[in-house]
Amino acid sequence: MTAWLIANIAPLMFVTLVITLLIGFPVAFSLAAVGIFWAIVGIELGLLQPTLIQALPDRVWGVMSNDTLLCVPFFTFMGLILERSGMAEDLLDTIGQLFGPLRGGLAYAVIFVGALLAATTGVVAASVISMGLISLPIMLRYGYDRRLAAGVIAASGTLAQIIPPSLVLIIMADQLGKSVGDMYAGAFIPGIILAFLYAAYTMGVTIFKPQWAPALPLEARSLREPNGKSGIVSVGVLVALSAAAAVAYGKIYLKDSPLDETIVISTCVGTAVAFVAAVINKVLKLGLLSRIAERATFVMIPPLALIFLVLGTIFLGVATPTEGGAMGATGALIMALARGRLTWKLLRQAMDTTAKLSTFVVFILIGARVFSLTFYGVNGHVWVEHLLTSLPGGQLGFLIVVNILIFVLAFFLDFFELSFIVVPLIGPVAEKLGIDLIWFGVLLGVNMQTSFMHPPFGFALFYLRSVAPAKQYLDKLTNKLTDPVTTGQIYWGAVPFVLIQIVMIGLVILFPQMVMVYKSTDSTVDPSKVQIQLPPSESGAPAGGSQPGQPETTQQMEEDDKRGNEDAQSLEDAFKSTPAPAPGVPPPPK
Amino acid sequence: MNALLALSRAIDGVTERIGRTVYWLVLAVVLISAANATIRKAFNYSSNAYLEIQWYLFSVIFLVGAGYVLLHNAHVRIDIISGRLSARAQNWIDVFGIVFFLFPMAFVIMKLSWPLFMDAYTRNEVSTNAGGLVVWPARLLVPIGFFLLIVQGISELIKRIGFLMGRAPNALAKAHGKTAEEELAEEIALQRARDEQGSRP
């Protein structure tokens, strides 16, 4: 019995975990309890050193001093303030007017705004709710197919999960031991391509089923010129002008800069040109720009400014992701204040929700770290590795199996649970197989995004259901009775987008280049971490508190956990996350 | 049982107050971090103390606030099975979980982390980073946090047993007013209605 127990302790531990998680007690506590229970069993069996359990407080300490995790409250808080600032509503109204005259225009507007909100730190629930309340009624009024409308809204809302700065990517980077900046750079292009795929699907629909996505009729375009013209020419001219300025600036002044820097600065220049033109036009009442061009410029400025504040500074290497999050949160506060939307009640709610969400996230992580202490102690990682490396097909076989696994698990687990429990188990195996971990992380990110939209559990669908009309209603503008959107229509509407998502997973597997561009931007984020980030040494631990051979720092200890003892890799990563020689040194000149 | 339920109410009251105090630190950390980043860039001045204080404060949020999150039943569960069970079964699961999962693990971590605090305190240990902070307050957060978690666990246990005995309402079913999402939806809808009225004479 004892021998059998010793031989099979890792699988037994895993099975216990699955059972305890399924009974429905909070995940964080179950994880930690299972870890501690098996640690005691292991020690009793003589399989583990009694000192192992002494390392528990270090696990908690490691989580506390991990300042990447500060991104979680920062971005959450930013999103919560932003969703009440009215920015999304303004964008949806104006961009809807801008694209509306096109066939399928409202759908394009939803995708565009969805991507834009995602890049400012979108929250899936908030995006879906805003779109469901603002764009959906207009789409229904002008005869959009209900399934298409619902699907586009749900899918565009989930873009927040994959377009940086998203929490999934931060946590994925942390769990895979990679830099958040690299993960952002790697996810950027796949995120944009995904938005284009949604748009391409919409275009396909407008070609084969034009009646599903009609253009807005003339009377619905409220931002027309006094003489009745659409004013779209003016928009085109302004866009062309700004784009020309951006490209010219990039070609002349930024010839030798890395790609991401060029993009960020050129975009700033282009935006500035448009903004200055709009301001001059408004102040001097020149009338050179149409109403819609002026309005579109003004609504685009706040989100673009926020994107610059967060992503721009991260990509430029001016700020760490943590700082970017704090800057973004402060920017969102200022914006909400300026718009008169910031109340004490809103502030308190945002802080309350942020505190609760960060706490449960960090506790799942603590639980997972306690679990992994024992699991690695009994060589559970070797067992998992053995299971997964014996799959046929090498890299590709592994990627396919893992993606199917995550896709299925995502029906039951949310992305925090997946990232903290499953990713640390499969990450080291991926690395052993020579898979780039950023590529792997982005791949899993796209995969987990799907879990927000697959029926019937997808959260995006759930939120859309909560705001979509469930009963027949009288449209106030047209005085027509409008049919409700049924739950079946929402589910069926999401199906094409789930398929697009699967296609996208395939594309990322086939064309890793779209992620690998992060390598060309290597000079960005990390060197800017000016301060030494090493947690205090563990020398304060009581007798027996340190395991033999325990590395100096918690950071390295975590690295070691993940990939056994591949020293070179650990060192490289430790270096990556703690690159600066001394405090107070300015970042190296570009 | 009545005395116990009174105790539970008292604990809930204290936990609620702690939680409502602690969440202000979210704003504090955001502002400190943003200010630190700005000052570092603008004046090329920074100190490790500003970096360390950020994670100290964040640790206060999630450790001292852990009981508050438990009170509001906001720790994530996998409820695909338990969600279909009866209220009684769900309460039984919690009784089991609190006694066999929550208490042991919180107790072990609390007990093991105490010597680390004592050690840091007696040696007056200072962070190894230049200009870093004193270590013991952060070390102290761990035993405090898990102690508060146990105390709130006792209150939750009383409430679950109270419900199973028919003496208390079902704390798990308690709707905490509207969810944040519902409020957001309401606000947007209200704004819409206002806009539409404004745009039509």
Side-chain angles (χ1 to χ4, degrees):
Chain A
M1 175 69 187
T2 310
W4 180 82
L5 206 54
I6 290 176
N8 292 296
I9 193 162
L12 279 171
M13 212 181 148
F14 194 75
V15 170
T16 331
L17 178 70
V18 172
I19 293 169
T20 44
L21 289 182
L22 280 178
I23 67 171
F25 194 64
V27 173
F29 309 141
S30 305
L31 272 167
V34 171
I36 291 173
F37 170 76
W38 281 101
I40 294 168
V41 172
I43 291 168
E44 289 300 316
L45 289 173
L47 196 64
L48 297 169
Q49 295 294 321
T51 51
L52 179 88
I53 204 158
Q54 300 279 350
L56 269 181
D58 287 339
R59 287 308 169 103
V60 181
W61 187 252
V63 172
M64 288 167 71
S65 54
N66 177 346
D67 67 0
T68 304
L69 290 177
L70 277 165
C71 290
V72 175
F74 290 170
F75 284 117
T76 308
F77 185 68
M78 177 179 176
L80 289 169
I81 295 289
L82 216 53
E83 71 183 30
R84 299 292 193 88
S85 69
M87 187 180 85
E89 291 96 307
D90 284 358
L91 275 172
L92 286 168
D93 277 336
T94 311
I95 306 298
Q97 284 288 321
L98 186 64
F99 291 173
L102 283 174
R103 204 188 277 166
L106 286 173
Y108 297 131
V110 162
I111 297 167
F112 180 73
V113 174
L116 208 57
L117 291 176
T120 59
T121 186
V123 177
V124 174
S127 297
V128 171
I129 287 172
S130 308
M131 292 169 177
L133 284 169
I134 293 168
S135 305
L136 186 62
I138 306 176
M139 290 168 132
L140 297 182
R141 181 179 301 152
Y142 298 110
Y144 268 63
D145 178 73
R146 286 172 158 69
R147 280 164 299 178
L148 175 69
V152 158
I153 289 175
S156 304
T158 65
L159 283 174
Q161 289 293 306
I162 191 67
I163 294 181
S166 92
L167 282 185
V168 189
L169 296 173
I170 295 171
I171 287 172
M172 199 73 78
D174 183 62
Q175 291 298 302
L176 292 169
K178 290 289 168 187
S179 107
V180 177
D182 282 353
M183 196 61 91
Y184 279 179
F188 200 76
I189 293 177
I192 302 290
I193 291 180
L194 196 53
F196 273 105
L197 286 181
Y198 295 168
Y201 169 73
T202 307
M203 189 180 275
V205 168
T206 58
I207 291 168
F208 294 105
K209 295 269 181 193
Q211 71 278 20
W212 280 15
L216 281 191
L218 209 58
E219 72 269 12
R221 301 174 198 167
S222 60
L223 284 172
R224 269 178 298 164
E225 295 300 285
N227 62 11
K229 284 188 179 159
S230 68
I232 217 79
V233 180
S234 170
V235 177
V237 172
L238 189 63
V239 169
L241 207 69
S242 316
V247 171
Y249 189 90
K251 285 262 188 271
I252 297 168
Y253 293 101
L254 303 166
K255 260 182 301 200
D256 308 318
S257 309
L259 180 70
D260 51 353
E261 201 176 313
T262 313
I263 292 174
V264 170
I265 298 181
S266 305
T267 313
C268 284
V269 171
T271 312
V273 167
F275 181 61
V276 170
V279 169
I280 293 176
N281 185 63
K282 189 175 174 80
V283 173
L284 301 180
K285 298 204 170 60
L286 289 179
L288 284 176
L289 291 175
S290 63
R291 280 177 67 196
I292 184 126
E294 193 181 290
R295 181 106 182 90
T297 311
F298 284 129
V299 295
M300 289 287 289
I301 292 297
L304 286 178
L306 283 173
I307 293 171
F308 173 75
L309 206 56
V310 182
L311 280 185
T313 53
I314 295 173
F315 283 156
L316 287 181
V318 182
T320 62
T322 310
E323 289 171 339
M327 303 287 281
T330 312
L333 275 174
I334 293 171
M335 201 181 85
L337 201 63
R339 286 164 166 256
R341 294 290 191 100
L342 189 66
T343 59
W344 283 113
K345 187 172 166 235
L346 165 60
L347 184 63
R348 273 200 298 271
Q349 270 176 354
M351 291 187 302
D352 190 25
T353 309
T354 306
K356 282 181 188 152
L357 184 132
S358 327
T359 304
F360 83 64
V361 170
V362 173
F363 260 81
I364 299 175
L365 181 58
I366 292 178
R369 306 283 290 129
V370 170
F371 176 81
S372 70
L373 178 71
T374 315
F375 195 64
Y376 283 69
V378 299
N379 284 329
H381 55 303
V382 179
W383 172 64
V384 172
E385 200 180 302
H386 188 75
L387 274 183
L388 290 177
T389 44
S390 56
L391 292 169
Q395 273 197 12
L396 191 65
F398 170 78
L399 286 177
I400 291 173
V401 169
V402 163
N403 273 296
I404 292 174
L405 180 79
I406 297 273
F407 188 84
V408 173
L409 283 177
F411 277 98
F412 314 108
L413 303 179
D414 71 19
F415 74 86
F416 291 120
E417 291 150 358
L418 285 172
S419 324
F420 290 139
I421 304 170
V422 182
V423 171
L425 293 177
I426 54 181
V429 186
E431 190 162 42
K432 273 252 164 76
L433 290 169
I435 294 168
D436 183 277
L437 287 186
I438 299 283
W439 178 40
F440 189 61
V442 172
L443 197 53
L444 296 187
V446 177
N447 193 334
M448 289 184 198
Q449 184 199 346
T450 315
S451 71
F452 278 81
M453 53 172 134
H454 46 47
F457 300 118
F459 265 107
L461 308 182
F462 170 76
Y463 290 123
L464 183 59
R465 174 68 282 169
S466 73
V467 293
K471 289 197 281 273
Q472 207 178 41
Y473 69 103
L474 190 71
D475 189 301
K476 281 185 197 144
L477 219 66
T478 56
N479 274 326
K480 269 191 224 153
L481 266 185
T482 310
D483 283 333
V485 177
T486 65
T487 305
Q489 284 165 339
I490 294 179
Y491 287 172
W492 280 111
V495 170
F497 290 91
V498 173
L499 296 178
I500 291 176
Q501 215 67 29
I502 295 172
V503 168
M504 187 66 203
I505 295 172
L507 287 177
V508 177
I509 292 181
L510 287 178
F511 304 102
Q513 302 92 304
M514 64 172 107
V515 176
M516 294 305 182
V517 288
Y518 84 87
K519 287 197 166 157
S520 72
T521 65
D522 251 358
S523 70
T524 53
V525 177
D526 290 318
S528 74
K529 279 202 174 182
V530 168
Q531 297 283 314
I532 288 185
Q533 308 279 339
L534 289 179
S537 85
E538 305 294 333
S539 56
S546 301
Q547 289 165 265
Q550 188 182 0
E552 292 273 312
T553 66
T554 317
Q555 180 72 40
Q556 277 174 337
M557 192 169 96
E558 285 178 15
E559 302 294 347
D560 277 1
D561 270 352
K562 282 171 196 139
R563 53 184 61 88
N565 273 321
E566 290 163 332
D567 286 333
Q569 188 61 46
S570 296
L571 272 176
E572 186 193 312
D573 286 340
F575 176 73
K576 268 195 155 182
S577 55
T578 58
V585 178
K590 290 264 152 58
Chain B
M1 194 66 211
N2 279 336
L4 286 175
L5 284 169
L7 173 70
S8 159
R9 274 193 298 276
I11 294 174
D12 288 359
V14 173
T15 304
E16 183 73 26
R17 193 158 302 172
I18 292 175
R20 284 169 183 244
T21 312
V22 157
Y23 69 49
W24 282 93
L25 294 177
V26 172
L27 185 63
V29 184
V30 165
L31 295 179
I32 290 173
S33 182
N36 178 52
T38 316
I39 291 169
R40 200 187 79 200
K41 289 301 152 196
F43 305 108
N44 207 357
Y45 167 80
S46 180
S47 159
N48 276 308
Y50 291 113
L51 290 177
E52 289 184 358
I53 193 72
Q54 291 174 31
W55 68 255
Y56 274 35
L57 292 179
F58 182 47
S59 303
V60 176
I61 296 172
F62 67 75
L63 286 170
V64 178
Y68 176 69
V69 177
L70 183 63
L71 168 65
H72 288 270
N73 192 19
H75 281 289
V76 180
R77 303 160 181 265
I78 296 175
D79 56 2
I80 43 166
I81 294 176
S82 67
R84 293 152 200 264
L85 301 178
S86 68
R88 286 188 70 81
Q90 290 177 354
N91 274 271
W92 272 115
I93 287 172
D94 265 28
V95 170
F96 175 83
I98 290 170
V99 173
F100 292 104
F101 295 167
L102 177 65
F103 285 161
M105 79 98 197
F107 181 76
V108 168
I109 295 178
M110 181 177 76
K111 192 166 182 313
L112 289 173
S113 56
W114 182 257
L116 271 77
F117 155 68
M118 282 309 284
D119 183 66
Y121 183 73
T122 47
R123 294 193 300 116
N124 204 15
E125 187 187 338
V126 177
S127 154
T128 48
N129 296 336
L133 298 173
V134 178
V135 172
W136 67 260
R139 291 279 189 197
L140 182 59
L141 287 174
V142 184
I144 289 182
F146 282 89
F147 173 74
L148 291 175
L149 194 59
I150 291 175
V151 172
Q152 188 56 41
I154 293 172
S155 167
E156 298 301 320
L157 186 63
I158 295 172
K159 284 186 275 184
R160 303 294 181 276
I161 294 175
F163 170 75
L164 291 171
M165 290 170 61
R167 302 285 294 274
N170 182 10
L172 289 174
K174 182 170 60 183
H176 291 280
K178 280 172 257 174
T179 64
E181 284 82 18
E182 281 165 357
E183 285 198 9
L184 173 68
E186 247 171 44
E187 198 178 296
I188 296 175
L190 201 71
Q191 195 72 31
R192 280 285 102 176
R194 234 180 269 148
D195 289 354
E196 270 171 22
Q197 257 168 13
S199 68
R200 281 183 304 160

